[in-house]
Amino acid sequence: MDPESGSTEENLSTTSSSSSFVPIDGIQDAIQIIDENKEFNKDILQYIKKTTKTLGNDYHIISVFGSQSTGKSTLLNRLFNTNFDVMEESRRQQTTKGIWLASSPVISTSEPIIHPETEESLLVMDVEGTDGRERGEDQDFERKAALFAMATSEILILNIWETQIGLYQGANLGLLKTVFEVNLSLFGKSKLEKTNDHKVLLLIVIRDHIGTTPKESLANIIVQDLNQIWDTLSIPPELSHLKFEDFFDIDFHALRHKVLQPKEFTEDIQQLGDRFKGFFKPNYHHNIPIDGWTLYADNCWDQINNNKDLDLPTQQILVAKFKCDEIISNVFEEFLTKFKELPNLVNDDYENFGLLLIDLREDILENYNLSASKYNKTVYEQKYETLKEKLNEKFKEIFETHVKSLSKEKLDNFKETISGFKGQNFHERVSQLSNEIKEEYSNQLKQISLNGDIPYDHHLNDLDNQLDSLVKKQQVIELQNIVNKSIKKLGNGLTKYIQFELNDPKPELWSNVLNKFNETRKDLIDIDKGNEIDFKLGTSQNQNVEVIEKFKYKSWIKFYEINHKIISSGNLLTLIKDRFDDKFRYDENGLPKLYIDAHELEVQFDKAKSFALDILPILTIARLKDGSEIVPEFDIFNKSLRGKYLSETELSQLEENDDEDDDDIADDKCFAENITEQEKAEILSKFKKEIDAKFIETKRSLVQHITQIPYYIYLIIIALGWNEFMAIIRNPLLFSLLLVLGAGLYILYQLNLLRPALVVVQRLIDEVIQVAKEKLREVLIDDYQIQGNRLERISGNNINNGKESADKSENIELDDL
């Protein structure tokens, strides 16, 4: 014991009659909670902490109510082993002033007293007696004290003498009527809304029962009186169906005379103690921890004493809310500290990370449960959900961060993967991949969503929508690739075929080209199937039809581009010149032609010119066998159709090509017209100039050949060389050689190689003559440079070599000469 606090005996000597609050320096037998001046003691909780075993819900509040000097304090002391001050028999004056509270160490029973550690704490209130001469006609405190006891207690002991039963004032029926009316106004609304099943046990203790009138008869009289009082209450219409039993339970116990039958009195007390354990029921309890009960009692007295609008159940809820909010604040601070220490998600281990979040939340909720479950169940559960929601909101920050990162990762991987899906079964492969990603994404979100407490369905829907969007974009790309690849193959095949046909253009050229064009298109995309075609991409029939239409349109554009690329004005001029050269310069066997006379030259020139120009009308306009022009399915020059079927890049390229053309030509284009009349005139002009130049050149070479060797020269050679010819004929060897030469010439003539051979011989002779002239010029012409080289070579010899060197130089000079 602390020396400054005084001895326990000194504290215990303080009586209940004191008009001031008892100082709490140590454990007290009783503490005054409301004094005779109606002041509430704020230090009750300190007393309770020192005297009770628990601060939770394991406690019970019992109060006693009755007339003054009826032995209420004695009853409590004998039954609950408390030490309330009792009246001195000789003085018969008021003992208890205000309301006192004491902690009961144990209830007196017929069995030996045992002090179990798990026994619940009992708090007993001794209420100032009614009808005392000290108060006189001032019954205000009596009503307030009775109402306070009824509002804060689980069991209200009504202490009454047997001789008072049947009396109105003596049995405090008038006071009870007032208390019942107020109690109805307090708890009636909660009973009507079925939000409160709280009741109070009225334990009526009949004192000095001599046994003449059976206890059952006395109990019936009291029940009738109480029901009669209830029936006379001013009950609001909406509460008229409520009965006395909805608010109170009644039980009775009789005690024999304390003075005349002390032994029997003690036995009756013990029997009451034996019964007491069965009096405690859950719906009697206020579901407020003991530290909250003190606040609740303070609020109740404040409203009762100040005549405020009384709503005591609301006070219980307010206390529970206040305490639960305080607990939430404490545990949430603890949570924030642990929340900051959470490790980061490692290696996409969403399962363990989610379990870590759940464990942290469960720890915080468990701490809340340990402290808050003692209070009003409804409030506790509401606040539990509030705390849970508050925790979830904090966890949602982490959740949203990981969802954003995870969603981006899934979409990037999906986009990259489907971009590599080429060829068949695109739709099947994309659907399988999409389902795998959505299932994996859902599992990962579930693992970090605190078992679904953080809603994530909208994230799944967002991912699903984004995946669908990516699939649709990729489907458009794949369809575009199909069209582009098909157009490319069409262009390659059509180009080769047209080039092949241009080797020998015939009137049926364009009919053949158009047939090849249609066959190639059908092989690439069977356009005749219409909306039944399936590209294995999961696209709709409308999309497939649009792709077919786009392919048709772009195929005609490709046809037009190939025609104008191959049959351009420059290419057509080259083609005509090549045909002319093939006919003019080479014979039917492909051998070069040598023209003998001008007449032959002119005839062959006209034939070659006509042969070359025969293809010009065929290639100028694409006409079929029947003479009609090729007309495409679409107007490829229509700007609206271009915007519908072509991409921006393709459209810009076409516009650039259009800009290169003349405005007049661009506005009056025809699909079948490969060469315009203006271009045709230019080609003819250039062709005529070039073939005329070739004609003149060929004719000039023919004249030169004739003027070089006149016919009379051959006669002169024969006349002057007759003797030599005869000598050769007479000589067998020379004659044989002549025969061989003649046979060779005959063979060359038969093979039509005589002229080429003569040309070769002539060139050989010319070359030999040229070389001979060069050698002769070196010998005969006094060339200073040659002489200088010789002198330099001569001077380069060593003059110190003597006569031998001089002789050698002379020999060199002679050799050179």
Side-chain angles (χ1 to χ4, degrees), residues 376-498:
N376 180 271
K377 183 178 180 181
T378 302
V379 175
Y380 152 72
E381 292 176 350
Q382 291 175 350
K383 293 298 181 179
Y384 177 88
E385 295 300 326
T386 300
L387 175 60
K388 190 175 181 180
E389 184 178 352
K390 193 174 182 181
L391 295 176
N392 290 345
E393 284 297 322
K394 197 65 180 177
F395 282 123
K396 194 174 181 181
E397 298 176 6
I398 293 181
F399 178 81
E400 292 295 337
T401 300
H402 288 297
V403 166
K404 185 177 181 181
S405 174
L406 182 61
S407 175
K408 184 178 184 302
E409 177 185 349
K410 296 296 182 187
L411 292 174
D412 290 343
N413 292 339
F414 181 78
K415 183 178 181 181
E416 180 179 358
T417 304
I418 64 174
S419 63
F421 287 168
K422 305 296 182 183
Q424 299 296 323
N425 300 324
F426 174 86
H427 177 60
E428 181 180 347
R429 296 168 68 186
V430 166
S431 298
Q432 181 180 359
L433 177 63
S434 177
N435 292 333
E436 291 175 356
I437 287 180
K438 287 189 286 188
E439 182 178 359
E440 183 180 6
Y441 184 70
S442 177
N443 291 334
Q444 289 172 332
L445 293 190
K446 181 178 181 181
Q447 289 169 351
I448 61 173
S449 66
L450 304 175
N451 293 328
D453 287 347
I454 299 177
Y456 59 89
D457 289 342
H458 61 288
H459 290 295
L460 296 178
N461 293 333
D462 289 343
L463 180 70
D464 194 10
N465 293 334
Q466 293 183 63
L467 290 177
D468 289 342
S469 177
L470 290 177
V471 170
K472 290 179 180 178
K473 290 180 180 178
Q474 190 62 33
Q475 286 175 338
V476 172
I477 294 174
E478 293 299 323
L479 290 174
Q480 187 67 29
N481 290 337
I482 290 175
V483 172
N484 292 339
K485 289 179 180 179
S486 300
I487 293 297
K488 185 177 181 180
K489 292 180 180 179
L490 174 66
N492 293 336
L494 196 60
T495 300
K496 293 179 181 179
Y497 186 79
I498 293 178

Side-chain angles (χ1 to χ4, degrees), residues 48 89 221 344 346 367 412 504 777:
I48 293 175
E89 297 290 344
I221 296 173
N344 295 324
V346 180
N367 292 340
D412 290 343
D504 187 17
R777 185 182 293 110

Side-chain angles (χ1 to χ4, degrees), residues 561-675:
E561 291 176 348
I562 291 173
N563 287 347
H564 285 73
K565 180 178 180 181
I566 296 177
I567 310 177
S568 62
S569 58
N571 292 342
L572 183 56
L573 177 60
T574 302
L575 183 62
I576 296 175
K577 290 192 299 182
D578 291 341
R579 284 176 64 87
F580 174 82
D581 289 341
D582 291 343
K583 196 69 174 176
F584 183 68
R585 293 185 180 276
Y586 300 95
D587 59 14
E588 295 177 354
N589 297 321
L591 299 176
K593 286 184 178 181
L594 291 176
Y595 293 100
I596 303 300
D597 52 33
H599 177 71
E600 182 185 6
L601 177 63
E602 291 175 358
V603 171
Q604 291 297 327
F605 177 79
D606 291 338
K607 289 182 179 179
K609 180 179 179 181
S610 177
F611 177 75
L613 294 178
D614 284 344
I615 67 171
L616 189 59
I618 297 175
L619 300 181
T620 300
I621 297 180
R623 296 183 185 275
L624 303 176
K625 291 181 181 180
D626 58 2
S628 61
E629 298 179 358
I630 296 178
V631 179
E633 301 172 81
F634 303 88
D635 182 5
I636 63 173
F637 307 110
N638 186 288
K639 292 184 178 180
S640 62
L641 291 180
R642 287 185 176 184
K644 179 180 179 181
Y645 292 116
L646 300 180
S647 64
E648 294 182 0
T649 303
E650 295 169 335
L651 189 60
S652 62
Q653 290 177 352
L654 283 179
E655 290 177 351
E656 289 177 1
N657 296 333
D658 291 343
D659 292 340
E660 294 176 358
D661 298 333
D662 295 337
D663 294 336
D664 296 338
I665 297 176
D667 294 337
D668 192 21
K669 284 187 175 181
C670 175
F671 180 86
E673 186 180 42
N674 298 324
I675 300 298

Side-chain angles (χ1 to χ4, degrees), residues 515-533:
N515 291 335
K516 181 66 176 179
F517 172 75
N518 292 328
E519 290 175 1
T520 306
R521 287 202 309 173
K522 189 172 183 180
D523 292 339
L524 294 172
I525 296 179
D526 194 352
I527 59 178
D528 294 334
K529 287 185 178 180
N531 58 2
E532 296 179 1
I533 194 167

Side-chain angles (χ1 to χ4, degrees), residues 746-775:
Y746 179 75
I747 293 172
L748 291 175
Y749 177 76
Q750 291 296 326
L751 296 177
N752 202 19
L753 295 176
L754 186 58
R755 290 180 181 178
L758 292 175
V759 173
V760 173
V761 172
Q762 182 66 39
R763 295 290 177 87
L764 179 61
I765 292 172
D766 293 341
E767 190 69 24
V768 171
I769 293 173
Q770 183 68 28
V771 172
K773 288 180 179 180
E774 291 293 332
K775 293 295 183 180

Side-chain angles (χ1 to χ4, degrees), residues 219-230:
N220 290 333
I221 296 173
I222 295 175
V223 170
Q224 291 175 5
D225 291 341
L226 293 176
N227 286 328
Q228 186 178 1
I229 292 174
W230 187 267

